[in-house]
Amino acid sequence: MIRNPILPGFNPDPSICRVGDDYYIATSTFEWYPGVQIHHSRDLVNWKLVRRPLERDSQLDMRGNPDSCGVWAPCLSYADGQFWLVYTDVKRFDGNFKDAHNYIVTSPTIEGEWSEPVYVNSSGFDPSLFHDEDGRKWFINMQWNHRTESYGGSPKSPAFDGILLQEWDPQTKALKGPIKNIFAGSPLGLVEGPHLFRKNGWYYLTTAEGGTGYDHAVTMARSRNIDGPYELHPNRHLITSKDNPEAALQRAGHGQYVETSDGQVYHTHLCGRPLPPKRRCTLGRETALQKCVWREDGWLYLENGTTVPDVEVPGLGGAVRAEKPVRSEYSFDGGKLPDDFQWLRTPQPERIFNLTERPGHLRLMGRESVGSWFEQALVARRQEHHSFRAETVVEFAPDTYQQVAGLTHYYNRHKFHAVVVTLHEKLGRCVTIFSCDGDYPNGRMTFPADAGVAIPADGRVQLSMEIRDNDLQFFWQTEGKGAWQPIGPVLDAGVVSDEGGRGEHGSFTGAFAGIFAFDTSGRAKTADFDWFNYEEL
């Protein structure tokens, strides 16, 4: 059985592609680097991260991109003996504009090096490339209308000005011919995330609608002609939980159709699993997969007969889900960052971390402040469970309070908690807490442990945090001396979520557990981390 979500934690906007018996899903990464996560499976049940293809500054440079900008809604396809990846780099979030630039990269293999990007257009985000049966290629994306009060946290339908279609020429690597607005969307509004496919003489168009919050949906339409007119599905929406607040998978929408080699049909979608009582999705938008069927009317439906997605659906050939280990232990041996980890924005990671100067350690070079949009030394992995424990050990000898290193539960500059080692003019070297519990737009920190606790002037310090649903408790200990000591009060972990702080539609990533350092004196003080553990509770 397939158990949803198949990709837990921050993995939104899933585009699925089959090549033979291999299945690939590409998901959005926003400001996290390298860009786009691609997972692989042969049974639709078990998935493995195999590539993040946007890894060079010529492909992606997000320094200065605001929170929740960067790589939106990639589309992965296979044609002409190679993979095609279409993606947006969004440069602005607030106000009336998005400045969304769309690109195409290609590779003969998923695991290999991907090409230099080809710029396509900037008329809107969520681009997709459709390879028609006659060999022609069509580029589609939503069109953004800036002439409305469509601010980031309160999207209005008029800004989502339909789905544009234009032919793309692989010889000239450019768009050609007329631009046509082929689909205005349903009355639900906020049409985006278009994907085209062809079957039995029909062009089928699936889009995301309703915004990416609790009214989200996959809307379906079809036409005999690629440029329309498109008629709506009898139910309007193929997948949605918007009218079923009790459903386990909420915020269901934005996905893509796929057929198996033996003719079975599935559809991906993003989803959220909110925690009571405030319905905050601390794991962000996750990826799920639903079994579908074609009916005699020529329309696609969920196999369960409703529009509400299931947690469990039939997989392929009796595949069994492999249980993941409860505890993941990461060493920093071998000179390579573990695959689960990413960093923020910069294509020059050598300026913020290295694994060679002190073998067996991840060395962070303190740069800009926590929450910087340009160059902050923060390395983290996704939170995949509502309850977990993370712990690490750091060697750090600050000589000013401007030098800080520690462990963080992080979403963005407005939503994070951290337990840190720093220097205090009276306490000397100390452990304390930095917290920003959703203070938008100012991003003011609070200090729940005040100045903190004095610790020895040298030696390694172990830091940990336990998150149980909406509650977070930090701990510390001097390595080899005594037991774990709690520090500070229980904090609101639920604010480190999509809905925390600014609220629904205000941010689009997910919670991370990681390590960081900064040095606002400009002297790039280093902090050495020996290991990092993550354990489901």
Side-chain angles (χ1 to χ4, degrees):
M1 294 291 285
I2 295 169
R3 183 166 180 82
N4 287 309
I6 55 172
L7 304 181
F10 161 50
N11 279 290
D13 312 323
S15 170
I16 190 167
C17 170
R18 179 179 69 86
V19 182
D21 292 326
D22 293 291
Y23 298 86
Y24 300 94
I25 289 179
T27 55
S28 301
T29 42
F30 290 80
E31 66 264 36
W32 290 90
Y33 211 97
V36 179
Q37 296 217 122
I38 300 179
H39 285 79
H40 169 258
S41 176
R42 291 182 65 88
D43 59 17
L44 300 180
V45 174
N46 298 289
W47 294 85
K48 180 183 178 181
L49 178 67
V50 292
R51 194 72 167 96
R52 295 189 186 105
L54 305 181
E55 58 186 350
R56 306 188 299 275
D57 57 0
S58 59
Q59 295 172 319
L60 184 66
D61 186 348
M62 299 183 290
R63 286 173 291 189
N65 284 20
D67 292 325
S68 288
C69 288
V71 177
W72 287 18
C75 174
L76 181 67
S77 58
Y78 185 83
D80 310 325
Q82 64 181 356
F83 290 94
W84 303 72
L85 181 67
V86 185
Y87 64 97
T88 307
D89 181 8
V90 178
K91 295 297 186 183
R92 182 171 175 177
F93 190 70
D94 287 327
N96 289 63
F97 298 95
K98 287 291 179 281
D99 295 323
H101 309 307
N102 296 319
Y103 302 90
I104 297 173
V105 292
T106 59
S107 174
T109 65
I110 288 288
E111 296 82 2
E113 185 172 294
W114 288 67
S115 71
E116 290 298 289
V118 174
Y119 171 75
V120 183
N121 67 15
S122 300
S123 54
F125 46 84
D126 292 5
S128 181
L129 186 66
F130 171 61
H131 311 271
D132 208 345
E133 294 172 357
D134 60 4
R136 299 171 76 182
K137 300 184 186 300
W138 299 90
F139 197 85
I140 53 176
N141 60 270
M142 65 81 66
Q143 178 171 231
W144 182 260
N145 186 347
H146 61 271
R147 301 172 304 170
T148 177
E149 293 182 0
S150 286
Y151 300 105
S154 302
K156 305 289 193 302
S157 292
F160 293 71
D161 195 18
I163 302 301
L164 300 185
L165 172 81
Q166 190 175 12
E167 188 173 358
W168 190 79
D169 188 337
Q171 301 303 317
T172 62
K173 298 184 178 180
L175 295 168
K176 67 179 183 180
I179 304 170
K180 294 187 177 182
N181 194 323
I182 62 170
F183 186 62
S186 80
L188 183 59
L190 304 171
V191 63
E192 55 185 338
H195 290 289
L196 273 170
F197 67 94
R198 191 171 183 178
K199 188 176 179 67
N200 296 333
W202 291 96
Y203 290 95
Y204 290 90
L205 175 68
T206 58
T207 63
E209 287 196 300
T212 194
Y214 288 92
D215 286 335
H216 209 24
V218 173
T219 299
M220 193 171 198
R222 72 180 182 185
S223 174
R224 290 293 186 184
N225 302 304
I226 194 168
D227 56 357
Y230 281 83
E231 60 175 305
L232 281 168
H233 191 287
N235 295 336
R236 289 187 182 169
H237 311 302
L238 174 65
I239 305 172
T240 185
S241 301
K242 67 184 182 66
D243 300 318
N244 297 84
E246 76 288 349
L249 304 179
Q250 291 293 311
R251 305 171 65 186
H254 198 137
Q256 190 174 18
Y257 172 86
V258 68
E259 291 188 8
T260 68
S261 57
D262 62 356
Q264 299 182 68
V265 290
Y266 290 83
H267 204 287
T268 61
H269 65 94
L270 66 78
C271 64
R273 292 180 289 166
L275 285 173
K278 296 183 179 181
R279 300 192 83 204
R280 297 179 298 192
C281 295
T282 56
L283 304 184
R285 297 174 303 155
E286 307 172 284
T287 284
L289 184 63
Q290 300 299 319
K291 184 74 180 294
C292 299
V293 293
W294 288 102
R295 293 187 185 169
E296 292 182 358
D297 61 0
W299 287 103
L300 191 68
Y301 296 84
L302 291 187
E303 188 180 57
N304 67 20
T306 75
T307 63
V308 181
D310 285 329
V311 171
E312 290 192 344
V313 299
L316 299 180
V320 177
R321 183 175 181 176
E323 292 300 323
K324 292 185 177 181
V326 171
R327 182 178 174 89
S328 297
E329 297 183 352
Y330 303 96
S331 69
F332 298 115
D333 300 324
K336 181 179 180 295
L337 192 68
D339 289 342
D340 288 341
F341 287 80
Q342 287 181 275
W343 61 93
L344 288 163
R345 295 181 176 84
T346 179
Q348 297 181 352
E350 66 276 7
R351 283 187 48 81
I352 60 172
F353 71 83
N354 74 68
L355 296 110
T356 57
E357 289 185 11
R358 187 176 179 190
H361 293 74
L362 175 61
R363 171 164 288 181
L364 298 185
M365 289 82 85
R367 298 294 182 186
E368 294 178 337
S369 58
V370 60
S372 166
W373 287 347
F374 291 87
E375 192 175 53
Q376 63 165 313
L378 188 155
V379 175
R381 58 149 291 163
R382 283 158 177 73
Q383 178 183 342
E384 294 183 6
H385 308 89
H386 287 127
S387 296
F388 73 96
R389 177 183 174 88
E391 55 190 22
T392 191
V393 63
V394 61
E395 255 182 88
F396 185 57
D399 55 51
T400 169
Y401 63 82
Q402 292 183 310
Q403 296 169 344
V404 175
L407 174 72
T408 184
H409 188 220
Y410 186 88
Y411 191 106
N412 60 25
R413 66 163 57 181
H414 306 112
K415 298 184 281 193
F416 68 86
H417 303 297
V419 58
V420 305
V421 176
T422 187
L423 193 77
H424 187 269
E425 55 270 26
K426 293 182 179 179
L427 296 176
R429 198 170 73 136
C430 64
V431 174
T432 190
I433 295 175
F434 290 173
S435 180
C436 187
D437 58 356
D439 182 42
Y440 177 83
N442 296 314
R444 289 171 294 211
M445 288 200 310
T446 61
F447 305 91
D450 298 321
V453 178
I455 60 175
D458 55 21
R460 303 190 346 160
V461 182
Q462 291 182 239
L463 305 171
S464 68
M465 59 183 174
E466 288 188 1
I467 291 177
R468 300 180 186 273
D469 294 336
N470 292 303
D471 296 333
L472 180 155
Q473 179 68 63
F474 283 121
F475 301 87
W476 72 278
Q477 67 175 357
T478 303
E479 188 178 48
K481 298 178 181 178
W484 286 105
Q485 301 294 319
I487 181 170
V490 173
L491 301 174
D492 182 9
V495 78
V496 184
S497 66
D498 288 355
E499 297 82 5
R502 189 174 183 176
E504 188 179 21
H505 297 122
S507 47
F508 304 132
T509 56
F512 282 71
I515 51 183
F516 74 104
F518 67 79
D519 184 353
T520 55
S521 76
R523 288 179 284 148
K525 187 71 173 183
T526 61
D528 291 338
F529 294 83
D530 192 355
W531 46 259
F532 184 95
N533 297 331
Y534 176 98
E535 182 177 5
E536 179 185 2
L537 295 177

